[in-house]
Structure formats: structure tokens, C-alpha cells
Amino acid sequence: MSGTPPSALPRPRLLRLKDGRDYALRPLHAGDTAAVVAFFHSLSPETIRSRYGYLIHDMTPDRAHRLADCDPARELPLGIFERDAGGGERLRAMGRLVHGPDGRSAECAFVVHDDWRRLGMASRLLLHLRAAGRRRGLERLFAQVRRDNRAMLGVFRHHGARLHFRPDADYVEVDIPLLKPKILFDKPLPAPSFSVMATSGKKPFSVVTLIIDLALTAIAFGIFYWLVNSHVPSNDPAMVKLWGGLAAGCMAGVFWLAWQMLKVVFQFQRESRK
Ligand SMILES: CC(C)(COP(=O)(O)OP(=O)(O)OC[C@H]1O[C@@H](n2cnc3c(N)ncnc32)[C@H](O)[C@@H]1OP(=O)(O)O)[C@@H](O)C(=O)NCCC(=O)NCCS
């Protein structure tokens, strides 16, 4: 990663995690090869299997070097390090983005040391990888997680990822859209569309529309009356008329409100398409 422009990589930063201690989060580089080997050798077989899908018996320096020193245009490895009093660093968690062949998405994966779980390390790595993905113009991150990996699915769920369970598959497809929030917050809705919903003063009053609405409500009243009057528990025709009329009147009122709301939403949608 020696030739990487600094702006393409997240800045190193200090994190305070749930144990109240400070850790360093930064991209991995060639100098971290030994740290990756040591990290790997300290992981339980179960953790290695969960992360890589099979048991890797030997993490050679060459393999570790490839994990740490990646092509930054295709891959972003982030690490969380514990610092000791002498200024030394020990790798405790890794998260990685690997760009997909479509150039618009990237796969993400995480591994946290067995003794440093539930401190928020995976969550922080995910947040920073998500931000890096956005800066790289990616549309989404994705992952494939085993159905029984409650921890990883928990982290993704916690961060609002979409989980697609398929009945016939051992893996859950995880999808994290990146561009949506940007569109929502960066590109406000056009003002005219807003005013249709927000300001009643601009809506022109039309007698014809009022007559049509009243006629529709009268028809609705007739239908409701016809439906409810046979259910009024009385043999007195006056009582049947009274309670049938009152019930149909209430229902026609609801119909009026629903009709008005439908018209406003329809008008808003029509305006926002202009
Ligand atoms: C999955 C893994 C990366 C999670 O790391 P972590 O740092 O412990 O996760 P976090 O502390 O950020 O957890 C965030 C949230 O996820 C959920 N979560 C995490 N671990 C969980 C578990 N074991 N069971 C249920 N929910 C869990 C919780 O909601 C948690 O929030 P909380 O602690 O406030 O309740 C870690 O367990 C790991 O390395 N597993 C082995 C490797 C692996 O499976 N990698 C994924 C390959 S695709």
C-alpha cells in the first residue's frame, strides 16, 4: 500500500470502545505482516472457520503480507489495534472491503479476536468501511453469511442491513445500500412538490370538484346504508332508519376523509414527477 494516495484511505483514529479503553483504527499496510501472523495464530479454530469457511492451518508471512498489503483500488483492509504502554500495537480485529467485478459494489468481511468480542469492534469497522465505500462511489456493500452465524448476522441487523434468507441455501445474502441516505439528505425534494402537501393556500378551490366529492360521498352513504340497515337489531322502522343512517353517516365521513387524503397524495406524486 506504499504507493497509495493518502486521501484514498481512511485516516488513522483512536476509538474508545465499550470496555472504556482506547484502540487505534487504521488501514493495514506492508509493515503489519507480522501483526497479521500473530493475530491469526491467536484465533480459535472456530473463529477461523467462521471467517474463511474452512480451517487454515498455517498463516505464512507471504499470505499475511497479501492480506495486509493490498491493491488499494480493489481492496481496503482495516485493523483495530490495542496499544501497550511501550507504544507497541497488537491487532485485535480486521475488516475488509473487496471490490466486486461490477465496480459498483464491494464484499465486506470481519474477524474479531475471541477475547475482544461484544466491544463494538465489528460495528466500528463496518461504519468505517461503509463510509469508505461511499467515498469510493460504491452503491452497495454485500456479504454472504452462514445461516447459523448469529453474531455476524446480529452485527449486520444492528446496522440496518437487508438480510435475504433463502429456504434452500446455507448462506444469507446481506445487502447494505450506500447511496440511498445520500440521496435523501443531500438532494431535497423540489420545492413545488412540497408546497402541494404543505400549504393549503395554493390549492385552487373548485365548485365542480366539491360537487363531485359530495356526489361520491352521497353514493357511498347510500351503499353503506343499504349494507348496515338490515343489521340494526330493531323491528321499529324509525329506529332502523335512525341507527342505520347514523352508522352509514359515520362510514361516509370516513370515506370523505380517505378520499381527500387519496387526492392529496395523488396530486403530490403527480407534481413531484414534473
Ligand atoms: C461476527 C463478529 C465479527 C462480531 O464482532 P463483535 O466485535 O463482537 O461485534 P459487535 O461488538 O460490533 O456487535 C454489535 C452487535 O451485533 C450483535 N451481536 C454481536 N455478537 C453477537 C452474538 N454472538 N450473538 C448475538 N448478537 C450478536 C449485537 O446486537 C451487538 O450489539 P450489543 O453487543 O450491543 O448487543 C465476531 O463474532 C467474529 O469475529 N466472529 C468470527 C468470524 C466471523 O464469523 N466472521 C464473519 C464471516 S462472514
Side-chain angles (χ1 to χ4, degrees):
M1 276 188 136
S2 37
T4 313
S7 58
L9 298 171
R11 279 185 299 111
R13 61 186 71 226
L14 274 187
L15 304 176
R16 175 144 310 168
L17 296 181
K18 287 182 190 162
D19 58 358
R21 298 175 58 204
D22 291 333
Y23 294 82
L25 181 142
R26 63 169 174 78
L28 299 180
H29 51 67
D32 293 319
T33 303
V36 171
V37 173
F39 174 62
F40 199 87
H41 286 142
S42 67
L43 296 176
S44 69
E46 192 42 49
T47 292
I48 296 174
R49 225 182 262 115
S50 307
R51 165 63 184 89
Y52 297 96
Y54 53 92
L55 191 55
I56 301 172
H57 290 283
D58 194 19
M59 174 57 71
T60 60
D62 190 41
R63 195 169 192 164
H65 183 82
R66 284 201 304 274
L67 286 178
D69 189 28
C70 314
D71 171 5
R74 288 201 56 251
E75 248 177 272
L76 172 60
L78 287 185
I80 295 184
F81 293 83
E82 186 188 16
R83 283 179 166 165
D84 57 39
E89 287 185 323
R90 266 178 241 266
L91 186 58
R92 297 306 182 200
M94 281 201 297
R96 179 175 302 271
L97 276 193
V98 180
H99 286 236
D102 62 1
R104 296 197 310 239
S105 60
E107 184 165 14
C108 59
F110 305 86
V111 55
V112 175
H113 190 286
D114 304 68
D115 300 337
W116 273 264
R117 302 265 170 90
R118 301 301 282 263
L119 297 179
M121 289 196 176
S123 300
R124 300 296 272 270
L125 287 167
L126 176 57
L127 288 176
H128 287 277
L129 289 178
R130 221 160 56 171
R134 271 195 203 110
R135 281 198 302 274
R136 288 165 176 238
L138 297 173
E139 289 170 16
R140 53 185 278 268
L141 302 186
F142 64 91
Q144 276 199 332
V145 183
R146 278 191 67 88
R147 229 171 218 282
D148 55 11
N149 193 340
R150 285 185 58 227
M152 194 68 249
L153 292 175
V155 173
F156 282 130
R157 217 178 255 126
H158 207 73
H159 289 273
R162 296 177 190 156
L163 308 186
H164 304 285
F165 288 84
R166 292 188 211 297
D168 50 340
D170 285 346
Y171 284 85
V172 179
E173 306 278 348
V174 179
D175 191 34
I176 306 171
L178 295 181
L179 295 182
K180 242 187 181 157
K182 207 167 153 52
I183 292 167
L184 269 179
F185 296 116
D186 293 355
K187 199 177 132 200
L189 291 171
S193 317
F194 238 132
S195 62
V196 174
M197 287 285 265
T199 56
S200 54
K202 285 202 174 177
K203 276 190 253 165
F205 174 76
S206 152
V207 180
V208 179
T209 310
L210 180 67
I211 291 171
I212 292 173
D213 290 354
L214 286 172
L216 284 173
T217 309
I219 293 169
F221 176 86
I223 294 171
F224 292 140
Y225 182 76
W226 173 72
L227 283 172
V228 297
N229 77 346
S230 59
H231 296 283
V232 176
S234 169
N235 293 325
D236 181 348
M239 281 296 139
V240 171
K241 265 189 200 151
L242 174 70
W243 291 108
L246 284 174
C250 289
M251 289 158 87
V254 173
F255 169 84
W256 170 273
L257 287 176
W259 177 240
Q260 298 308 316
M261 283 161 69
L262 190 78
K263 284 198 317 181
V264 170
V265 172
F266 180 67
Q267 194 180 353
F268 172 74
Q269 288 189 338
R270 216 177 37 190
E271 290 290 320
S272 48
R273 261 187 249 124
K274 282 181 191 167

